[in-house]
Coordinates of all heavy atoms in Angstrom, one line a residue:
M384 N 11.6 -14.5 -8.4 CA 10.7 -15.0 -7.3 C 9.3 -14.9 -7.7 O 8.5 -15.7 -7.3 CB 11.0 -14.1 -6.0 CG 10.4 -14.6 -4.8 SD 11.4 -16.0 -4.1 CE 12.0 -15.3 -2.6
G385 N 8.9 -13.9 -8.5 CA 7.5 -13.8 -9.0 C 6.6 -13.2 -8.0 O 6.9 -12.6 -7.0
F386 N 5.3 -13.3 -8.3 CA 4.2 -12.8 -7.5 C 4.1 -13.5 -6.2 O 4.2 -14.7 -6.1 CB 2.9 -12.9 -8.2 CG 2.7 -11.8 -9.3 CD1 3.0 -12.1 -10.6 CD2 2.3 -10.6 -8.9 CE1 2.8 -11.1 -11.6 CE2 2.1 -9.6 -9.9 CZ 2.3 -9.9 -11.2
R387 N 3.9 -12.7 -5.1 CA 3.6 -13.4 -3.8 C 2.6 -12.5 -3.0 O 2.5 -11.3 -3.2 CB 4.9 -13.6 -3.0 CG 5.5 -12.3 -2.6 CD 6.7 -12.7 -1.9 NE 7.9 -12.2 -2.6 CZ 9.1 -12.1 -2.0 NH1 9.3 -12.5 -0.8 NH2 10.1 -11.6 -2.7
K388 N 1.9 -13.2 -2.1 CA 0.9 -12.6 -1.4 C 1.5 -11.6 -0.4 O 2.4 -11.9 0.3 CB 0.0 -13.6 -0.6 CG -1.1 -13.0 0.2 CD -1.9 -14.0 0.9 CE -2.9 -13.3 1.9 NZ -3.7 -14.3 2.6
V389 N 1.0 -10.3 -0.4 CA 1.5 -9.4 0.6 C 0.3 -8.8 1.5 O 0.6 -8.1 2.5 CB 2.2 -8.2 -0.1 CG1 3.4 -8.7 -0.9 CG2 1.2 -7.5 -1.1
A390 N -0.9 -9.1 1.1 CA -2.0 -8.6 1.9 C -3.3 -9.2 1.4 O -3.3 -9.9 0.4 CB -2.1 -7.0 1.8
E391 N -4.4 -9.0 2.2 CA -5.7 -9.3 1.7 C -6.4 -8.1 1.3 O -6.3 -7.0 2.0 CB -6.5 -10.1 2.8 CG -5.8 -11.4 3.2 CD -6.6 -12.2 4.1 OE1 -7.6 -11.8 4.6 OE2 -6.1 -13.3 4.4
L392 N -7.1 -8.2 0.2 CA -7.8 -7.0 -0.4 C -8.7 -6.3 0.7 O -8.7 -5.1 0.8 CB -8.6 -7.4 -1.6 CG -9.3 -6.2 -2.3 CD1 -8.2 -5.3 -2.9 CD2 -10.2 -6.7 -3.4
D393 N -9.4 -7.1 1.4 CA -10.4 -6.6 2.4 C -9.7 -5.7 3.5 O -10.3 -4.9 4.2 CB -11.2 -7.7 3.1 CG -12.3 -8.2 2.2 OD1 -12.5 -7.6 1.2 OD2 -12.8 -9.3 2.6
A394 N -8.4 -6.0 3.7 CA -7.7 -5.2 4.7 C -7.2 -3.9 4.3 O -6.7 -3.1 5.0 CB -6.5 -6.0 5.2
L395 N -7.4 -3.6 3.0 CA -6.9 -2.3 2.4 C -8.1 -1.4 2.2 O -9.1 -1.8 1.6 CB -6.2 -2.5 1.0 CG -5.1 -3.6 1.0 CD1 -4.5 -3.6 -0.5 CD2 -4.1 -3.3 2.0
R396 N -8.0 -0.2 2.7 CA -9.1 0.8 2.6 C -9.1 1.3 1.1 O -8.1 1.7 0.5 CB -8.8 2.0 3.5 CG -10.0 3.0 3.5 CD -9.8 4.0 4.7 NE -8.6 4.8 4.5 CZ -8.5 5.9 3.8 NH1 -9.6 6.3 3.1 NH2 -7.4 6.6 3.7
D397 N -10.3 1.2 0.6 CA -10.5 1.6 -0.8 C -10.2 3.1 -0.9 O -10.8 3.9 -0.1 CB -12.0 1.3 -1.2 CG -12.1 1.4 -2.7 OD1 -11.2 1.6 -3.4 OD2 -13.3 1.2 -3.2
G398 N -9.4 3.5 -1.9 CA -9.0 4.9 -2.0 C -7.9 5.3 -1.1 O -7.6 6.5 -1.1
G399 N -7.4 4.4 -0.4 CA -6.3 4.8 0.6 C -5.0 4.1 0.3 O -4.8 3.6 -0.8
V400 N -4.1 4.3 1.2 CA -2.7 3.7 1.0 C -2.4 2.9 2.3 O -2.8 3.3 3.4 CB -1.7 4.8 0.8 CG1 -1.6 5.8 1.9 CG2 -0.3 4.1 0.6
T401 N -1.8 1.7 2.1 CA -1.4 0.9 3.2 C 0.1 0.5 3.0 O 0.5 0.2 1.9 CB -2.2 -0.4 3.2 OG1 -3.6 -0.1 3.2 CG2 -1.9 -1.3 4.4
G402 N 0.8 0.5 4.1 CA 2.2 0.1 4.0 C 2.4 -1.3 4.5 O 1.8 -1.8 5.4
V403 N 3.2 -2.1 3.7 CA 3.6 -3.4 4.0 C 5.1 -3.5 3.9 O 5.7 -2.7 3.2 CB 2.8 -4.5 3.2 CG1 1.3 -4.5 3.4 CG2 3.2 -4.4 1.7
E404 N 5.6 -4.6 4.4 CA 7.1 -4.8 4.2 C 7.3 -6.2 3.6 O 6.7 -7.2 4.1 CB 7.8 -4.7 5.6 CG 9.2 -4.3 5.4 CD 9.9 -4.1 6.8 OE1 9.7 -3.0 7.4 OE2 10.6 -5.0 7.2
V405 N 8.0 -6.3 2.6 CA 8.3 -7.6 1.9 C 9.8 -7.7 1.8 O 10.5 -6.9 1.2 CB 7.7 -7.6 0.5 CG1 7.9 -9.0 -0.2 CG2 6.2 -7.3 0.5
D406 N 10.3 -8.8 2.5 CA 11.8 -9.0 2.5 C 12.5 -7.7 3.0 O 13.6 -7.3 2.4 CB 12.3 -9.4 1.1 CG 11.9 -10.8 0.8 OD1 11.4 -11.5 1.7 OD2 12.0 -11.2 -0.4
G407 N 12.0 -7.0 3.9 CA 12.6 -5.8 4.4 C 12.4 -4.6 3.6 O 12.9 -3.5 3.9
V408 N 11.7 -4.7 2.4 CA 11.5 -3.6 1.6 C 10.1 -3.0 1.9 O 9.1 -3.7 1.8 CB 11.5 -4.0 0.1 CG1 11.2 -2.8 -0.8 CG2 12.8 -4.7 -0.2
P409 N 10.1 -1.7 2.2 CA 8.8 -1.1 2.5 C 8.0 -0.9 1.1 O 8.6 -0.3 0.2 CB 9.1 0.3 3.1 CG 10.5 0.5 2.8 CD 11.2 -0.8 2.4
I410 N 6.8 -1.3 1.1 CA 6.0 -1.2 -0.1 C 4.7 -0.4 0.3 O 4.1 -0.6 1.3 CB 5.5 -2.6 -0.6 CG1 6.8 -3.5 -0.8 CG2 4.7 -2.5 -1.8 CD1 7.6 -3.1 -2.0
A411 N 4.3 0.5 -0.6 CA 3.0 1.2 -0.5 C 2.0 0.5 -1.4 O 2.2 0.4 -2.6 CB 3.1 2.6 -0.8
L412 N 0.8 0.1 -0.9 CA -0.2 -0.5 -1.6 C -1.4 0.5 -1.7 O -1.8 1.0 -0.7 CB -0.8 -1.8 -1.0 CG 0.3 -2.9 -0.8 CD1 -0.4 -4.0 0.0 CD2 0.8 -3.4 -2.2
F413 N -1.9 0.7 -2.9 CA -3.0 1.7 -3.2 C -4.2 0.9 -3.7 O -4.1 0.4 -4.8 CB -2.5 2.7 -4.2 CG -1.3 3.5 -3.7 CD1 -0.1 3.0 -4.1 CD2 -1.4 4.6 -3.0 CE1 1.1 3.7 -3.7 CE2 -0.3 5.3 -2.5 CZ 1.0 4.8 -2.9
R414 N -5.2 0.8 -3.0 CA -6.4 0.1 -3.5 C -7.3 1.1 -4.1 O -7.7 2.2 -3.6 CB -7.2 -0.5 -2.3 CG -8.4 -1.2 -2.8 CD -9.2 -1.9 -1.7 NE -10.4 -2.5 -2.2 CZ -11.3 -3.1 -1.5 NH1 -11.1 -3.3 -0.2 NH2 -12.4 -3.6 -2.0
Q415 N -7.8 0.8 -5.4 CA -8.7 1.6 -6.1 C -9.8 0.6 -6.6 O -9.7 0.0 -7.6 CB -8.0 2.2 -7.3 CG -6.7 2.9 -7.0 CD -6.9 4.4 -6.9 OE1 -7.0 5.1 -8.0 NE2 -6.9 5.0 -5.8
G416 N -10.8 0.5 -5.7 CA -11.9 -0.5 -6.0 C -11.3 -1.9 -5.9 O -10.8 -2.3 -4.8
N417 N -11.4 -2.7 -6.9 CA -10.8 -4.1 -6.9 C -9.5 -4.1 -7.5 O -9.0 -5.2 -7.8 CB -11.8 -5.0 -7.6 CG -13.0 -5.3 -6.7 OD1 -12.9 -5.3 -5.4 ND2 -14.2 -5.4 -7.3
E418 N -8.9 -3.0 -7.7 CA -7.5 -3.0 -8.3 C -6.6 -2.5 -7.2 O -6.9 -1.7 -6.4 CB -7.4 -1.9 -9.4 CG -7.6 -2.5 -10.8 CD -7.3 -1.4 -11.8 OE1 -6.5 -0.4 -11.6 OE2 -7.9 -1.5 -12.9
V419 N -5.3 -3.0 -7.3 CA -4.3 -2.5 -6.4 C -3.1 -2.1 -7.2 O -2.6 -2.8 -8.1 CB -4.0 -3.6 -5.3 CG1 -2.8 -3.1 -4.4 CG2 -5.2 -3.8 -4.4
H420 N -2.4 -1.0 -6.8 CA -1.2 -0.6 -7.4 C -0.1 -0.6 -6.3 O -0.5 -0.4 -5.1 CB -1.3 0.8 -7.9 CG -2.3 1.0 -8.9 ND1 -2.2 0.4 -10.2 CD2 -3.6 1.5 -8.9 CE1 -3.3 0.7 -10.9 NE2 -4.2 1.3 -10.1
A421 N 1.1 -0.9 -6.6 CA 2.2 -1.0 -5.6 C 3.3 -0.2 -6.0 O 3.8 -0.2 -7.2 CB 2.6 -2.5 -5.5
T422 N 3.9 0.6 -5.1 CA 5.1 1.4 -5.3 C 6.0 1.1 -4.1 O 5.7 0.6 -3.1 CB 4.8 2.9 -5.4 OG1 4.5 3.3 -4.1 CG2 3.7 3.2 -6.4
H423 N 7.3 1.6 -4.3 CA 8.2 1.6 -3.1 C 7.6 2.5 -2.1 O 6.8 3.4 -2.4 CB 9.6 2.1 -3.5 CG 10.6 1.8 -2.5 ND1 10.8 2.5 -1.4 CD2 11.5 0.8 -2.5 CE1 11.8 2.0 -0.7 NE2 12.2 0.9 -1.4
G424 N 7.8 2.1 -0.8 CA 7.1 2.8 0.3 C 7.7 4.1 0.8 O 7.1 4.7 1.6
I425 N 8.9 4.4 0.3 CA 9.6 5.6 0.8 C 9.8 6.6 -0.3 O 10.1 6.3 -1.4 CB 11.0 5.2 1.4 CG1 10.8 4.3 2.6 CG2 11.8 6.5 1.8 CD1 12.1 3.8 3.2
C426 N 9.5 7.9 0.0 CA 9.6 9.0 -0.9 C 11.1 9.0 -1.5 O 12.0 8.7 -0.8 CB 9.3 10.3 -0.2 SG 9.3 11.7 -1.3
T427 N 11.2 9.5 -2.8 CA 12.5 9.6 -3.4 C 13.2 10.9 -3.0 O 14.4 11.1 -3.3 CB 12.4 9.5 -4.9 OG1 11.5 10.6 -5.3 CG2 11.8 8.2 -5.4
H428 N 12.6 11.7 -2.3 CA 13.2 13.0 -1.9 C 13.9 12.9 -0.6 O 15.0 13.4 -0.5 CB 12.1 14.1 -1.8 CG 12.6 15.4 -1.4 ND1 12.1 16.1 -0.3 CD2 13.5 16.2 -2.0 CE1 12.7 17.3 -0.2 NE2 13.6 17.4 -1.2
A429 N 13.3 12.3 0.4 CA 13.9 12.2 1.7 C 13.2 11.0 2.5 O 12.5 10.3 1.8 CB 13.8 13.5 2.5
L430 N 13.5 10.8 3.7 CA 13.0 9.7 4.4 C 11.6 9.9 4.9 O 11.4 10.4 6.1 CB 13.9 9.3 5.5 CG 13.5 8.0 6.3 CD1 13.4 6.8 5.3 CD2 14.5 7.7 7.4
A431 N 10.6 9.7 4.1 CA 9.2 9.8 4.5 C 8.5 8.6 4.0 O 8.7 8.1 2.9 CB 8.6 11.1 4.0
F432 N 7.6 8.0 4.8 CA 6.8 6.9 4.4 C 5.5 7.3 3.7 O 4.8 8.0 4.3 CB 6.5 6.0 5.7 CG 7.7 5.2 6.1 CD1 8.6 5.8 7.1 CD2 8.0 4.0 5.6 CE1 9.7 5.1 7.5 CE2 9.2 3.3 6.1 CZ 10.0 3.9 7.0
L433 N 5.4 6.8 2.5 CA 4.2 7.2 1.8 C 2.9 6.7 2.3 O 1.8 7.2 2.0 CB 4.4 6.8 0.3 CG 5.6 7.5 -0.4 CD1 5.8 7.0 -1.8 CD2 5.4 9.0 -0.4
K434 N 3.0 5.6 3.2 CA 1.8 5.1 3.8 C 1.1 6.2 4.7 O -0.1 6.1 5.1 CB 2.1 3.9 4.7 CG 2.9 4.1 5.9 CD 3.1 2.9 6.7 CE 4.2 3.0 7.8 NZ 3.9 4.0 8.8
D435 N 1.9 7.2 5.1 CA 1.4 8.3 5.9 C 0.9 9.5 5.0 O 0.6 10.5 5.5 CB 2.4 8.8 6.8 CG 2.9 7.7 7.8 OD1 2.0 6.9 8.2 OD2 4.1 7.6 8.1
G436 N 1.0 9.3 3.7 CA 0.6 10.4 2.7 C -0.9 10.4 2.5 O -1.7 9.7 3.1
Y437 N -1.2 11.2 1.5 CA -2.6 11.5 1.2 C -2.9 11.2 -0.3 O -2.2 11.7 -1.2 CB -2.8 13.0 1.4 CG -4.2 13.5 1.1 CD1 -5.2 13.1 1.9 CD2 -4.4 14.4 0.1 CE1 -6.5 13.5 1.7 CE2 -5.7 14.9 -0.2 CZ -6.7 14.4 0.6 OH -8.0 14.9 0.4
V438 N -3.8 10.3 -0.5 CA -4.2 9.8 -1.8 C -5.3 10.6 -2.4 O -6.3 10.9 -1.8 CB -4.6 8.3 -1.8 CG1 -5.0 7.8 -3.2 CG2 -3.6 7.4 -1.2
E439 N -5.1 11.1 -3.7 CA -6.1 11.9 -4.3 C -6.0 11.8 -5.8 O -4.9 12.0 -6.4 CB -6.1 13.4 -3.9 CG -7.3 14.1 -4.4 CD -7.2 15.6 -3.9 OE1 -6.2 16.3 -4.2 OE2 -8.2 16.0 -3.3
N440 N -7.1 11.4 -6.5 CA -7.1 11.4 -8.0 C -6.0 10.6 -8.6 O -5.3 11.1 -9.5 CB -7.1 12.8 -8.6 CG -8.4 13.6 -8.2 OD1 -9.4 13.0 -8.1 ND2 -8.3 14.9 -8.0
G441 N -5.7 9.4 -8.0 CA -4.6 8.6 -8.6 C -3.2 9.1 -8.3 O -2.3 8.6 -8.9
T442 N -3.1 9.9 -7.3 CA -1.8 10.3 -6.9 C -1.6 10.2 -5.3 O -2.6 10.1 -4.6 CB -1.5 11.8 -7.2 OG1 -2.4 12.6 -6.4 CG2 -1.7 12.1 -8.7
I443 N -0.3 10.2 -4.9 CA 0.0 10.2 -3.5 C 0.8 11.4 -3.2 O 1.8 11.6 -3.9 CB 0.7 8.8 -3.1 CG1 1.2 8.9 -1.6 CG2 1.9 8.6 -4.0 CD1 0.1 8.7 -0.7
E444 N 0.4 12.1 -2.2 CA 1.1 13.3 -1.7 C 2.0 12.9 -0.5 O 1.5 12.3 0.5 CB 0.2 14.4 -1.4 CG 0.9 15.6 -1.0 CD -0.1 16.7 -0.5 OE1 -0.6 17.4 -1.4 OE2 -0.4 16.8 0.7
C445 N 3.3 13.1 -0.6 CA 4.2 12.8 0.4 C 3.8 13.6 1.7 O 3.6 14.8 1.6 CB 5.6 13.1 0.0 SG 6.8 12.9 1.3
P446 N 3.9 13.0 2.9 CA 3.5 13.7 4.1 C 4.5 14.7 4.5 O 4.2 15.6 5.4 CB 3.4 12.6 5.1 CG 4.3 11.5 4.6 CD 4.2 11.6 3.1
L447 N 5.8 14.7 4.0 CA 6.8 15.5 4.5 C 6.9 16.9 3.8 O 6.9 17.9 4.5 CB 8.2 14.8 4.5 CG 9.3 15.4 5.4 CD1 8.8 15.6 6.8 CD2 10.5 14.4 5.3
H448 N 7.1 16.9 2.5 CA 7.2 18.2 1.8 C 6.2 18.3 0.7 O 6.3 19.1 -0.3 CB 8.6 18.3 1.2 CG 9.7 18.1 2.2 ND1 10.6 17.1 2.1 CD2 10.0 18.8 3.3 CE1 11.4 17.1 3.1 NE2 11.1 18.2 3.8
Q449 N 5.2 17.4 0.7 CA 4.0 17.5 -0.2 C 4.4 17.2 -1.7 O 3.7 17.7 -2.6 CB 3.3 18.8 -0.1 CG 2.5 18.9 1.2 CD 3.4 19.1 2.4 OE1 4.2 20.0 2.5 NE2 3.2 18.3 3.4
G450 N 5.5 16.5 -1.9 CA 5.8 16.1 -3.3 C 4.6 15.1 -3.7 O 4.1 14.4 -2.9
V451 N 4.3 15.0 -5.0 CA 3.2 14.2 -5.5 C 3.7 13.2 -6.6 O 4.4 13.6 -7.5 CB 2.1 15.1 -6.1 CG1 1.0 14.2 -6.6 CG2 1.6 16.0 -5.0
F452 N 3.3 12.0 -6.4 CA 3.6 10.9 -7.4 C 2.3 10.4 -8.0 O 1.3 10.2 -7.3 CB 4.4 9.7 -6.7 CG 5.7 10.1 -6.1 CD1 5.8 10.3 -4.7 CD2 6.8 10.0 -6.8 CE1 7.0 10.6 -4.1 CE2 8.1 10.3 -6.3 CZ 8.1 10.6 -4.9
D453 N 2.5 9.9 -9.2 CA 1.4 9.1 -9.8 C 1.5 7.7 -9.3 O 2.6 7.1 -9.4 CB 1.6 9.1 -11.3 CG 0.5 8.4 -12.1 OD1 0.2 7.3 -11.8 OD2 -0.1 9.1 -13.0
I454 N 0.4 7.2 -8.7 CA 0.5 5.9 -8.1 C 0.6 4.7 -9.1 O 0.9 3.6 -8.8 CB -0.6 5.6 -7.1 CG1 -2.0 5.6 -7.8 CG2 -0.6 6.6 -6.0 CD1 -3.1 5.2 -6.8
R455 N 0.2 5.0 -10.4 CA 0.3 3.9 -11.4 C 1.7 3.8 -12.0 O 2.2 2.7 -12.2 CB -0.7 4.1 -12.5 CG -2.1 3.9 -12.1 CD -3.1 4.4 -13.2 NE -4.4 4.3 -12.8 CZ -5.2 3.3 -13.0 NH1 -4.8 2.2 -13.7 NH2 -6.4 3.2 -12.6
T456 N 2.3 5.0 -12.3 CA 3.5 5.0 -13.0 C 4.7 5.3 -12.1 O 5.9 5.1 -12.5 CB 3.5 6.1 -14.1 OG1 3.3 7.4 -13.5 CG2 2.3 5.9 -15.0
G457 N 4.4 5.8 -10.9 CA 5.5 6.3 -10.0 C 6.1 7.6 -10.4 O 7.1 8.1 -9.8
R458 N 5.6 8.2 -11.4 CA 6.2 9.5 -11.9 C 6.1 10.6 -10.9 O 5.0 10.8 -10.3 CB 5.4 9.9 -13.2 CG 6.0 11.1 -13.8 CD 5.4 11.4 -15.2 NE 6.3 12.1 -15.9 CZ 6.7 11.9 -17.1 NH1 6.2 10.8 -17.8 NH2 7.6 12.6 -17.7
A459 N 7.2 11.3 -10.7 CA 7.2 12.5 -9.8 C 6.6 13.6 -10.6 O 7.0 14.0 -11.7 CB 8.7 12.8 -9.5
L460 N 5.6 14.2 -9.9 CA 4.7 15.2 -10.7 C 5.0 16.6 -10.3 O 4.5 17.5 -11.0 CB 3.2 14.9 -10.4 CG 2.8 13.5 -10.9 CD1 1.3 13.3 -10.5 CD2 2.9 13.4 -12.4
C461 N 5.8 16.9 -9.2 CA 6.0 18.3 -8.9 C 7.3 18.4 -8.0 O 7.7 17.4 -7.4 CB 4.8 18.9 -8.2 SG 4.5 18.2 -6.5
A462 N 7.7 19.6 -7.8 CA 8.8 19.9 -6.9 C 8.3 19.6 -5.4 O 7.1 19.7 -5.2 CB 9.2 21.3 -7.0
P463 N 9.2 19.2 -4.5 CA 10.6 19.1 -4.7 C 11.2 17.8 -5.3 O 12.4 17.6 -5.3 CB 11.1 19.3 -3.2 CG 10.1 18.6 -2.4 CD 8.8 18.9 -3.1
L464 N 10.3 17.0 -5.8 CA 10.7 15.7 -6.3 C 11.5 15.8 -7.6 O 11.1 16.7 -8.5 CB 9.5 14.8 -6.6 CG 8.6 14.6 -5.4 CD1 7.3 13.8 -5.8 CD2 9.3 13.9 -4.2
T465 N 12.5 15.1 -7.7 CA 13.3 15.0 -9.0 C 13.4 13.6 -9.5 O 13.9 13.4 -10.6 CB 14.7 15.6 -8.8 OG1 15.4 14.9 -7.8 CG2 14.6 17.1 -8.4
Q466 N 13.0 12.7 -8.7 CA 13.2 11.3 -9.1 C 11.9 10.5 -9.0 O 11.2 10.6 -8.0 CB 14.2 10.7 -8.1 CG 15.0 9.5 -8.7 CD 15.9 8.9 -7.6 OE1 16.5 9.6 -6.8 NE2 16.1 7.6 -7.6
D467 N 11.6 9.7 -10.0 CA 10.4 8.9 -10.0 C 10.5 7.8 -8.9 O 11.6 7.4 -8.5 CB 10.1 8.2 -11.3 CG 9.8 9.2 -12.4 OD1 9.5 10.4 -12.1 OD2 9.9 8.9 -13.6
L468 N 9.3 7.3 -8.6 CA 9.2 6.2 -7.6 C 9.2 4.9 -8.3 O 8.5 4.7 -9.3 CB 7.9 6.5 -6.8 CG 7.5 5.8 -5.5 CD1 8.6 6.1 -4.4 CD2 6.1 6.2 -5.1
A469 N 9.8 3.9 -7.7 CA 9.8 2.5 -8.3 C 8.3 2.0 -8.1 O 7.7 2.2 -7.1 CB 10.8 1.6 -7.5
T470 N 7.9 1.3 -9.1 CA 6.6 0.6 -9.1 C 6.8 -0.9 -9.2 O 7.8 -1.3 -9.8 CB 5.6 1.2 -10.2 OG1 6.2 0.9 -11.5 CG2 5.4 2.7 -10.0
Y471 N 5.8 -1.6 -8.8 CA 5.8 -3.0 -8.9 C 4.5 -3.6 -9.5 O 3.5 -3.0 -9.2 CB 6.1 -3.7 -7.5 CG 7.3 -3.1 -6.8 CD1 7.1 -2.1 -5.8 CD2 8.5 -3.5 -7.2 CE1 8.2 -1.6 -5.2 CE2 9.7 -2.9 -6.6 CZ 9.5 -2.0 -5.5 OH 10.6 -1.4 -4.9
A472 N 4.6 -4.7 -10.2 CA 3.4 -5.3 -10.7 C 2.6 -5.8 -9.5 O 3.1 -6.4 -8.6 CB 3.8 -6.5 -11.7
A473 N 1.3 -5.6 -9.6 CA 0.4 -6.0 -8.5 C -0.9 -6.6 -9.1 O -1.3 -6.1 -10.2 CB 0.1 -4.9 -7.6
K474 N -1.5 -7.6 -8.5 CA -2.7 -8.1 -8.9 C -3.5 -8.7 -7.8 O -3.0 -8.9 -6.7 CB -2.6 -9.2 -10.0 CG -1.8 -10.4 -9.6 CD -1.5 -11.3 -10.7 CE -0.7 -12.6 -10.3 NZ -0.5 -13.5 -11.4
V475 N -4.8 -8.9 -8.0 CA -5.7 -9.4 -6.9 C -6.2 -10.7 -7.4 O -6.7 -10.9 -8.6 CB -6.9 -8.5 -6.7 CG1 -7.8 -9.1 -5.6 CG2 -6.4 -7.1 -6.2
E476 N -6.1 -11.8 -6.6 CA -6.5 -13.1 -6.9 C -7.2 -13.7 -5.7 O -6.6 -13.9 -4.7 CB -5.3 -14.0 -7.3 CG -5.0 -13.9 -8.8 CD -3.8 -14.9 -9.1 OE1 -3.4 -15.7 -8.3 OE2 -3.3 -14.7 -10.2
G477 N -8.5 -14.0 -5.9 CA -9.2 -14.7 -4.8 C -9.2 -13.9 -3.5 O -9.1 -14.5 -2.4
G478 N -9.2 -12.6 -3.6 CA -9.2 -11.8 -2.4 C -7.8 -11.5 -1.8 O -7.6 -10.8 -0.8
D479 N -6.8 -12.1 -2.4 CA -5.4 -11.9 -2.0 C -4.7 -10.8 -2.9 O -5.0 -10.8 -4.2 CB -4.6 -13.2 -2.1 CG -5.0 -14.2 -1.1 OD1 -5.6 -13.8 0.0 OD2 -4.7 -15.4 -1.3
V480 N -3.9 -10.0 -2.3 CA -3.1 -9.0 -3.1 C -1.7 -9.6 -3.3 O -1.0 -10.0 -2.4 CB -3.0 -7.7 -2.4 CG1 -2.2 -6.7 -3.2 CG2 -4.4 -7.1 -2.1
L481 N -1.3 -9.7 -4.6 CA 0.0 -10.3 -4.9 C 0.8 -9.2 -5.6 O 0.3 -8.4 -6.4 CB -0.2 -11.5 -5.9 CG -1.2 -12.5 -5.6 CD1 -1.3 -13.6 -6.7 CD2 -0.8 -13.2 -4.3
V482 N 2.1 -9.2 -5.2 CA 3.0 -8.2 -5.8 C 4.3 -9.0 -6.2 O 4.7 -9.9 -5.6 CB 3.4 -7.2 -4.7 CG1 4.5 -6.3 -5.2 CG2 2.2 -6.3 -4.4
D483 N 4.8 -8.5 -7.4 CA 6.1 -9.0 -7.9 C 7.1 -7.9 -7.7 O 7.1 -6.9 -8.3 CB 5.9 -9.4 -9.4 CG 7.2 -10.0 -10.0 OD1 8.2 -10.1 -9.3 OD2 7.1 -10.4 -11.1
L484 N 8.1 -8.2 -6.8 CA 9.1 -7.2 -6.5 C 10.2 -7.1 -7.5 O 11.1 -6.2 -7.4 CB 9.7 -7.5 -5.1 CG 8.9 -7.1 -3.9 CD1 9.7 -7.1 -2.7 CD2 8.3 -5.7 -4.1
E485 N 10.2 -7.9 -8.5 CA 11.3 -7.9 -9.5 C 11.1 -6.8 -10.5 O 10.1 -6.4 -10.8 CB 11.5 -9.3 -10.2 CG 12.0 -10.3 -9.2 CD 11.9 -11.7 -9.6 OE1 11.7 -11.9 -10.8 OE2 11.9 -12.6 -8.8
Ligands
FES1263 FE1 8.8 13.4 0.2 FE2 10.3 15.5 0.7 S1 10.3 13.6 1.7 S2 8.6 15.4 -0.7

């Protein structure tokens, strides 16, 4: 399917996280200046939406048990996490945020 528009850059808070849904899949978008990173939107530990988490220094802290993931690589950085988060290719074009879910 390739890249498709999922948001407008201006709608994303710089340094924050925004949740969107693409084909029923929850996605977390992380804006860092004019760059955006995309991960799966649900924690790998239990059912918590990362859009409600806390972004700091390139990481997202889960709102439920404070597990921390790297937002670029999806790597699980601490307990209680044991599984990395899926990441997706993302890019910004003409003010649009595009994500490739494959
Ligand atoms: Fe995210 Fe437990 S649900 S750390």
Side-chain angles (χ1 to χ4, degrees):
M384 195 74 114
F386 281 96
R387 64 181 119 165
K388 179 180 175 179
V389 298
E391 294 189 358
L392 185 65
D393 283 349
L395 307 183
R396 186 168 62 82
D397 195 4
V400 55
T401 304
V403 295
E404 208 175 279
V405 183
D406 290 346
V408 179
I410 304 291
L412 299 175
F413 302 92
R414 178 178 177 183
Q415 310 256 285
N417 286 326
E418 262 186 30
V419 174
H420 303 286
T422 70
H423 197 276
I425 296 179
C426 186
T427 57
H428 178 239
L430 185 57
F432 286 90
L433 296 176
K434 67 180 172 59
D435 300 324
Y437 180 66
V438 179
E439 187 177 56
N440 293 329
T442 65
I443 174 75
E444 182 182 276
C445 176
L447 197 51
H448 308 112
Q449 289 72 54
V451 177
F452 297 98
D453 185 305
I454 63 175
R455 290 171 185 265
T456 64
R458 185 172 202 129
L460 298 176
C461 69
L464 305 175
T465 58
Q466 204 182 327
D467 294 344
L468 195 58
T470 59
Y471 306 102
K474 61 184 180 181
V475 178
E476 272 182 11
D479 292 337
V480 178
L481 310 177
V482 171
D483 184 352
L484 281 193
E485 289 165 20

